[in-house]
Amino acid sequence: MKTVFFSMTALLISYYFLGVHMYTYLGLVICFVLWAKMIFHAENGLSDGFGRAVLITGCDSGFGHHLAKKLDCMGFTVFAGCLCPEGPGAQSLVEEGSDRMKVLQLDVTKDEDISLAKDFVQANLPEKGLYAVVNNAGISDWGETEWSTAKDFQKMADINLFGAIRVTIPFLSLVRASKAYTVSKRGLEAFADCLRVEMASFGVKVSIIQPGNFGIATNILPKKTPQDIWDEFDYVRKLTFNQKYIEMVCEYFHSLCTSGFKDCSMVINAMVQALTAPKPRTRYLVVSWTDMFFFYICPFLPTCITDSVFHVSSIYYKRKVMLYS
């Protein structure tokens, strides 16, 4: 996308100053140079991972599970952190992977697990050391804000945010020694941005993977019925949100989730590119074209306009009618 943008800009500038014929010539030259640069970078990226290790959290399923298999096939020594090492996801990594696949117990909310994981990684590092840490472990949920409790938000932050911080800090010395990479996903921008600036002095690169709607591909969303939600409500919330409304919202969220990407190959490819490219991007936005609009355009629009986008959804008007009824 950046290559196309810069090429078009160069074409317009050259047209304005040099005329049609020179504009065509320079445009072709610039496109060729940019294309050659892309090919050059692609060819000089890391082609295999033999002798290098990668630690990945959240490998029981989803992105982490698929990335562990991919990197194992590329020759990396993979330390696959799993919440349940005896579970089916972790066991499939052991059964289908090579002898370089190392599955270990790693609950990112427990300091003891992280300390033991570091000891295990240090004792089993290949000759080129720890090449990267991929903070993948995370949970997700759906529903309206008032349907949740403070503990629900605390649990999500403890895993998705503080879990990544707990893992990253102890392993930084190992990653720094090999001047390698750390990769994080989800809402860790602030932490990753600070880390990227600080680690640049040591030759360590930090990238953020921002995946869109991959609910079906990863099976990360919890399965809960309208009745499950209703049973957790207190008396006040039951007066506000009637059961028919909850059923409608559940159906709406389910339709949104099922409309997402059916496989996670796009995210895995972005992760691999972030790990192997000589100059990886700081951010990899892996979303649909519709979502791209919200990421790139909405931040520059007035709040009243961005809010109105959500107000035109069909569920918004149904919500106003059904609440308190």
Side-chain angles (χ1 to χ4, degrees), residues 63 135-136 140 183-189 208-215 217-218 220 261 263-264 266-268 270-271 283-288 291 295:
F63 297 138
N135 285 302
N136 170 75
S140 185
V183 177
S184 300
K185 68 180 182 64
R186 304 183 185 283
L188 292 168
E189 287 87 350
I208 304 171
I209 310 295
Q210 296 176 292
N213 186 357
F214 286 84
T218 59
I220 190 174
F261 295 100
D263 70 83
C264 55
M266 292 172 62
V267 176
I268 303 307
M271 287 179 164
R283 282 173 171 76
Y284 290 82
L285 185 61
V286 191
V287 298
S288 65
D291 292 339
F295 277 96

Side-chain angles (χ1 to χ4, degrees), residues 142-144 147 226 229 241-256 315 318-319 322-323:
W142 58 268
E144 298 192 11
W147 296 3
I229 297 171
F241 303 98
N242 61 75
Q243 283 188 288
K244 286 186 177 181
Y245 173 73
I246 294 174
E247 290 173 1
M248 182 192 70
V249 173
C250 286
E251 184 178 346
Y252 176 74
F253 275 109
H254 178 72
S255 66
L256 285 180
I315 196 173
K318 294 178 181 178
R319 186 178 195 274
M322 295 182 70
L323 291 182

Side-chain angles (χ1 to χ4, degrees), residues 182 189-207 282-283:
T182 65
E189 287 87 350
F191 173 67
D193 286 342
C194 293
L195 191 64
R196 183 179 63 256
V197 174
E198 293 174 358
M199 291 296 104
S201 302
F202 301 102
V204 176
K205 301 176 179 67
V206 179
S207 294
T282 56
R283 282 173 171 76

Side-chain angles (χ1 to χ4, degrees), residues 211-232:
N213 186 357
F214 286 84
I216 295 180
T218 59
N219 200 30
I220 190 174
L221 293 172
K223 295 180 174 63
K224 53 185 179 183
T225 66
Q227 189 62 47
D228 294 331
I229 297 171
W230 180 258
D231 291 342
E232 293 181 1

Side-chain angles (χ1 to χ4, degrees), residues 97-125:
S98 68
D99 57 358
R100 296 184 303 275
M101 180 72 74
K102 317 289 184 184
V103 172
L104 59 154
Q105 168 76 45
L106 186 52
D107 183 339
V108 298
T109 66
K110 296 181 179 179
D111 292 329
E112 183 181 359
D113 274 15
I114 296 171
S115 178
L116 292 174
K118 183 181 179 182
D119 292 340
F120 180 82
V121 169
Q122 280 184 302
N124 293 275
L125 281 175

